[in-house]
Amino acid sequence: MTAEQVARAAREASNMLQTITSAQKSAVLRRIKQVLAERREQIVEANREDKEAAKKEVEAGNLSSSLFNRLDISGKGGEKYSTLLQGVDDVDRIADPIGQVTLARKLDQELDLYRVVCPVGVCLVIFEARPEVVVNIACLAIKSGNAAILKGGKEATRTNKALAEAIQYAIATTEAQEGQTKFPEKAVQVVSTRDEISGLLDMDRYVDLVIPRGSKSLVQYIQNNTRIPVLGHADGICSTYLDESADVKKAVHTVVDAKTSYPAACNSTETLLVHKSVVDTVFVEVARALLKAGVRLHADDRCLQAIDGAGIIKGEGEALASLVSKATDDDFGHEYTDMDLAIRVVDTMDEAIDHINALGSKHTDAIITEDRKRAEWFMRRVDAAGVYWNASTRFADGFRYGFGTEIGVSTNKTHARGPAGLEGLTIYKYYLFGNGQATGDYGVGNGKRGYMHKDVPLDGDVRNKFVI
């Protein structure tokens, strides 16, 4: 199929999805989980083959280690695959948002206005590695009544193909009840070539939203080569700030997690800012824990002096000493996606905030402090999709937010921001129910009427008025 044929088929599927019921969506999701569970060994084997091929590319210098780390679909003891299956259930349990009323207003007698949640339409999702994205996006698209076109990276070709075949088989083998529209098989499509992507980025007639998930270069390429709205983020430059009243135990626990639990993730902390009053106390304990975990510290002069003064490296040998280096300007505002951390001392909290707003990526930033007022000041002033108090930046995730799964993380200031789950694939339309009224009936003067503009409470009956 050509790019235009794929896009047109997705648009046709999107139109059909408008009349698919919540019960049908749930039946398809349950079937997808069943087929994914039945084909687990086959999919894991495909993933093993992808990883073997990718490892050779890493050794040849053609693939980054961070991208390779994102390729695994099984996880330790199969935990990641089990989480993937659980994510399907989690999406199924979320209340169907389509048809829900978010505003009801009586403009006049027999002139009623409703703002109603509806699907975006056709979503093109382009991603690198992370083959679980195939399942995540497919399930969210199904739940929200959208058609999805998916393009994964060549490093996960076998895994993506196995997952896509499982999902498409599940859709095709879900029976419709009498009187129901058959669930469209083209609701989820997977394309495999780069040429198809170039063509699809021109299909603004059919495609409503592009969601890139991957490297900065991938996101920027898409942003610069399409007229279609793009939801996503180019960088994940997250910062954690140790304030003057930071608790040492909380600081160590949150910062080590934020840096080491998954360094390749976009919500991993890349910069640590330290208030000058805690450099020789809280910071040295954090530094000690980070070095013990194998993190490479790119520190400014004051931090280096604190590390040296605390004797952290003395007696530990060259291996530990090699993990500490003097930071350069390029270290700040840099996304490592690895076991590296840029560290800088600041004289005031406002200096930390200015640093974050200037060099951060508006993704997620955290403050560690025991002072609530200072925490709230930080959270108001930092311009980011997520601002945290005494918590790891790694919480910036749709699954952890209870969204079931996520379509990605958006730093846009549009309809979706931060970890975007189901709501990121929805928009709204206005329903107006009248009885022959015209705008000329309203105004000032003889025979004219004024508007009532009376809001109607969104009780259960009103909120779910158009849910099918």
Side-chain angles (χ1 to χ4, degrees), residues 10-11 34 50-51 64 121 125 143 145 154 194 212 298 346 369 383 401 418:
R11 172 56 65 193
Q34 180 184 11
D50 279 334
K51 287 189 293 184
S64 69
V125 185
K143 186 73 174 187
K154 62 181 180 180
R194 193 175 184 87
H298 305 263
V346 294
T369 183
D383 183 12
Y401 279 12

Side-chain angles (χ1 to χ4, degrees), residues 233-399:
H233 69 285
D235 293 303
I237 305 169
C238 303
S239 297
T240 297
Y241 165 56
L242 304 182
D243 192 32
E244 58 187 12
S245 66
D247 176 85
V248 64
K249 186 176 180 180
K250 293 176 184 177
V252 169
H253 193 56
T254 57
V255 174
V256 171
D257 177 83
K259 181 67 262 182
T260 68
S261 62
Y262 192 179
C266 62
N267 55 15
S268 172
T269 285
E270 303 286 20
T271 301
L272 180 65
L273 300 172
V274 183
H275 192 279
K276 64 181 181 181
S277 66
V278 297
V279 177
D280 296 317
T281 54
V282 176
F283 166 68
V284 295
E285 295 306 318
V286 172
R288 193 189 309 274
L290 288 168
L291 290 169
K292 185 177 180 181
V295 178
R296 293 176 287 272
L297 307 183
H298 305 263
D300 70 1
D301 287 335
R302 285 192 279 184
C303 288
L304 290 175
Q305 290 170 9
I307 292 171
D308 184 59
I312 297 173
I313 297 176
K314 291 178 182 177
E316 296 293 336
E318 293 183 6
L320 201 59
S322 67
L323 295 176
V324 181
S325 63
K326 180 177 170 58
T328 67
D329 289 342
D330 291 340
D331 285 311
F332 299 101
H334 179 68
E335 185 179 19
Y336 294 105
T337 63
D338 208 339
M339 291 283 278
D340 293 83
L341 185 65
I343 310 173
R344 177 191 167 195
V345 175
V346 294
D347 293 330
T348 66
M349 179 169 66
D350 283 345
E351 185 181 348
I353 292 169
D354 290 342
H355 175 104
I356 292 169
N357 287 341
L359 298 176
S361 61
K362 305 184 188 302
H363 190 299
T364 304
D365 303 290
I367 180 173
I368 309 301
T369 183
E370 294 302 291
D371 188 322
R372 185 184 186 91
K373 286 186 177 180
R374 288 175 68 84
E376 291 181 353
W377 177 261
F378 176 93
M379 296 167 86
R380 283 181 181 276
R381 283 207 55 211
V382 168
D383 183 12
V387 281
Y388 297 173
W389 175 23
N390 288 344
S392 167
T393 56
R394 290 276 291 119
F395 279 105
D397 176 82
F399 179 77

Side-chain angles (χ1 to χ4, degrees), residues 183-199:
F183 202 96
E185 293 184 21
K186 296 296 185 182
V188 178
Q189 299 179 82
V190 177
V191 296
S192 57
T193 69
R194 193 175 184 87
D195 290 341
E196 288 172 304
I197 288 302
S198 297

Side-chain angles (χ1 to χ4, degrees), residues 149-187:
I149 304 170
L150 308 177
K151 168 63 173 75
K154 62 181 180 180
E155 65 281 347
T157 298
R158 300 171 185 83
T159 315
N160 292 339
K161 183 174 183 291
L163 289 168
E165 288 175 351
I167 291 168
Q168 289 165 341
Y169 177 77
I171 291 173
T173 55
T174 302
E175 296 295 330
Q177 300 298 313
E178 186 176 348
Q180 291 181 335
T181 302
K182 181 76 168 67
F183 202 96
E185 293 184 21
K186 296 296 185 182

Side-chain angles (χ1 to χ4, degrees), residues 124 217 269 311 318 372 431 446 450:
L124 169 62
S217 59
T269 285
E318 293 183 6
R372 185 184 186 91
Y431 291 6
N446 292 333

Side-chain angles (χ1 to χ4, degrees), residues 1-7 196 200:
M1 294 175 71
T2 65
E4 184 172 357
Q5 288 172 330
V6 170
E196 288 172 304
L200 286 167

